[in-house]
Amino acid sequence: MTLFRRVLTYRLTLYYLAAILLAALGLSVPGIVRQPWVNLAFSTVVALAACLGVNWAFARVSGAKSNWESVCITALIIALIVTPPAPGDLAGLGFVVLVSAWAMASKYIIAVGGRHIFNPAAFGAALMGIGFHRPVSWWVGDNAVLLPLILLGGALILTRLRYAEMLAAFALVVLGLSVAHGDLSSVAGVAHALSMMGIHSMFCFFGLVMLTEPRTAPVGRWRQVAYGASVGLLFSPFTHVGSYYFTPEVALLCGNLFTFLSNKRRIRRWAEAFA
Amino acid sequence: MLNPRRDSLAGKLLLSSALVAVSLAYGWWQAREVKRPVMAMAPMPPKPMPVPDPAAVAPAAPAEPAPLDVAAAPVAAPATAANPVAAPKTAAVAKAPQTATPTAPEPQQAAVTPPPTLTPQQALQMYVPMEGASPAFPPVSGSPDAGAVAPLPAGMHLADGDFVSDRHTLMWGDLRVRISIQGGAIRGMQVLQFPDHRSQSLYLSQLALPVLQSEVIKNQKAQVDVVSSATDTSYTFQDAVADAITKATRG
């Protein structure tokens, strides 16, 4: 317990993501995780190199101190949500590089008072998804075999960050909408809707890793509950505005915007920067 | 005297501009690449059909297609009664495996129809945004792998003809397939309806369904390997194929 308390949150998240990635890598060799291990290893190396390189360049011109753990966390998230390209797939490789580059750039370009507004990985994925009509696959969510690890590490992160209410609001809205749109006439129908969303989708990874990023999450219990619920509403595959359906990364960016707008002090600082 | 804040802003602007330039270059390159392998993206049969029916031979595609500007002429593809031209769609999503075939329910047990060959014009039209439900995937035909037999109870066989599954609903949309049986084996299939109402669903459908279609023909069974990243779609596809096979099963 003392050791757990000593480990910084960033480092804990880094270990958590590295463990998921290593497990995926290990399980991909016998084919349990359906991604070629070569592609997965290659994609991780590319994402790490791109994130570290672009972060170094931006940190240098901004004169800012950078946290390498935060950079690695973003790179690992990208490796876990973008379908790993084969080493010879130049288009896929370029996609990973650009998602990583924009993720890192957003930390410096869209920031107020040295604090970024949007979740970097979600920003990179959303920008490239919208720009090139190529949404990320969130492949990690399709491998239920990784779920125990995701849940275990997520529980540790939650213990540290105390975002239980936020996550509960998110889960309640997402699972509630899934059940409401599913087959309500039988228990099996409800169970199917819950398992499809809870086990066979990116729901757990998104909720435990992306939603709980402390830098882009609001302060205060009720704001956190509202944040979780609103992101959950947009995350649900049934929610749409006109003909537009939100992708998970866009849903998170909308939540991040809510966090920013709900913080009067940050808005004042932003206005002062412009004045 | 140098202003560090202005220097920092200039540096950020410079780096951001470089990133925008690289992204635009990538987009331009992708747009060119996407146009080139368009025919390759349409699922092709692994082998020619072994017993060609003279009536079932599809008209050959023109060898030298006239160049078609997809962006400028979205309705320039030939329109026939079977292939009506759909209106433009508002959502600007590139759709790879599409023809202009309507998704209206097909009559079950219809006579075996020839799988229409995708002309280059139709293939190019895949990238034209469409209105409403996406048209069906292009039909896939082929021969089963050696030794692959449909797992049917003793004394049962598959009746020749086309069989359409019921509509199977998954979380992301509806899925319906048609299988074509010739000589007691699945020789062709087409996905008539698939999840497409959001870009993620469309992406996953395009990723998984062509692979799954070919696998069903090769293995002659509904329970083929699941495509990673499209688990839900794969399972529902299996259910739909199993449903169509059940309809084709005769004593």
Side-chain angles (χ1 to χ4, degrees), chain A residues 203-223:
Chain A
F203 168 76
C204 288
F205 183 81
F206 180 92
L208 292 167
V209 177
M210 308 281 282
L211 189 72
T212 53
E213 195 216 350
R215 286 246 160 186
T216 51
V219 181
R221 179 182 289 185
W222 289 111
R223 262 187 278 183

Side-chain angles (χ1 to χ4, degrees), chain A residues 67-83:
Chain A
N67 180 348
W68 70 271
E69 286 162 338
S70 162
V71 178
C72 291
I73 287 170
T74 304
L76 295 187
I77 290 175
I78 289 169
L80 286 166
I81 65 173
V82 178
T83 305

Side-chain angles (χ1 to χ4, degrees), chain A residues 88-109:
Chain A
D89 177 8
L90 287 180
L93 170 71
F95 186 75
V96 173
V97 169
L98 285 173
V99 169
S100 308
W102 278 111
M104 284 299 109
S106 76
K107 290 178 84 166
Y108 295 90
I109 301 169

Side-chain angles (χ1 to χ4, degrees), chain A residues 119 122 206 210-211 227 231 247-257:
Chain A
N119 181 300
F206 180 92
M210 308 281 282
L211 189 72
Y227 172 74
V231 173
T247 52
E249 55 273 19
V250 174
L252 186 61
L253 296 186
C254 293
N256 295 159
L257 200 61

Side-chain angles (χ1 to χ4, degrees), chain A residues 102-154:
Chain A
W102 278 111
M104 284 299 109
S106 76
K107 290 178 84 166
Y108 295 90
I109 301 169
I110 311 170
V112 176
R115 206 172 147 171
H116 56 267
I117 295 174
F118 295 116
N119 181 300
F123 183 85
L127 188 72
M128 293 301 290
I130 292 167
F132 298 117
H133 308 304
R134 186 175 169 165
V136 295
S137 65
W138 293 85
W139 65 267
V140 66
D142 280 313
N143 293 283
V145 69
L146 297 172
L147 203 57
L149 192 58
I150 293 174
L151 290 174
L152 185 71

